[in-house]
């Protein structure tokens, strides 16, 4: 059974930091691209970042470049999203997802598997 379990969300003030974790199981971690997709109230889902575990290539949405960093722990089959300099507009439910690749960036990231999501709220 494929599982992606997010943790690390919460409430933080603008300018603060959070680290999201995504623990995965049930599929070959090294062969997949793990990503983060967020959805704010009243808005469509938006690709935030993805990492291709096969070669370590990473991609970021323009809105988070320079502030967010995605990384993989291959020993733990876990992906992290370090979020710094958070802004109120980063407020959303953040979903961890898995796809075969993210070759064409986050805007074209099409996951096959999804986690349940974790809420991130940034206060001004």
């Amino acid at each position: 059974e494929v599982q992606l379990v997010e943790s690390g969300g919460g409430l933080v003030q603008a300018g603060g930091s959070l680290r999201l974790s995504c623990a995965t199981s049930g599929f070959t971690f090294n062969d997949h691209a793990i990503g983060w997709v967020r959805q704010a109230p009243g808005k469509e889902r938006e690709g935030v970042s993805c990492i291709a575990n096969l070669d370590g290539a990473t991609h970021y949405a323009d809105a988070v470049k320079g502030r967010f960093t995605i990384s993989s722990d291959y020993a733990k089959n876990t992906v992290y999203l370090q979020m710094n300099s958070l802004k109120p507009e980063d407020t959303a439910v953040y979903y961890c997802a898995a796809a075969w690749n993210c070759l064409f960036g986050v805007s074209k990231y099409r996951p096959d598997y999804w986690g349940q999501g974790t809420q991130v709220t940034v206060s001004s």
Side-chain angles (χ1 to χ4, degrees):
E1 179 189 5
V2 173
Q3 286 191 320
L4 297 97
V5 181
E6 303 99 332
S7 61
L11 173 64
V12 65
Q13 288 189 331
S17 298
L18 283 174
R19 189 177 81 154
L20 304 183
S21 299
C22 175
T24 73
S25 61
F27 62 95
T28 306
F29 183 78
N30 288 18
D31 289 347
H32 281 73
I34 310 300
W36 292 92
V37 179
R38 67 187 181 186
Q39 187 166 24
K43 295 188 177 181
E44 293 185 354
R45 285 187 176 182
E46 171 192 28
V48 174
S49 180
C50 60
I51 181 167
N53 284 331
L54 205 57
D55 61 5
T58 59
H59 300 273
Y60 297 93
D62 288 343
V64 307
K65 277 180 183 176
R67 300 189 297 123
F68 291 10
T69 303
I70 192 170
S71 61
S72 284
D73 184 330
Y74 294 91
K76 296 182 178 179
N77 288 358
T78 297
V79 169
Y80 303 99
L81 186 68
Q82 178 67 43
M83 306 186 296
N84 298 328
S85 302
L86 282 161
K87 304 175 181 180
E89 51 264 46
D90 293 318
T91 295
V93 177
Y94 283 71
Y95 297 91
C96 177
W100 282 109
N101 64 72
C102 56
L103 289 173
F104 305 106
V106 292
S107 63
K108 293 179 170 57
Y109 183 60
R110 298 292 181 263
D112 299 302
Y113 309 114
W114 294 85
Q116 81 285 356
T118 186
Q119 177 70 46
V120 171
T121 303
V122 184
S123 63
S124 57

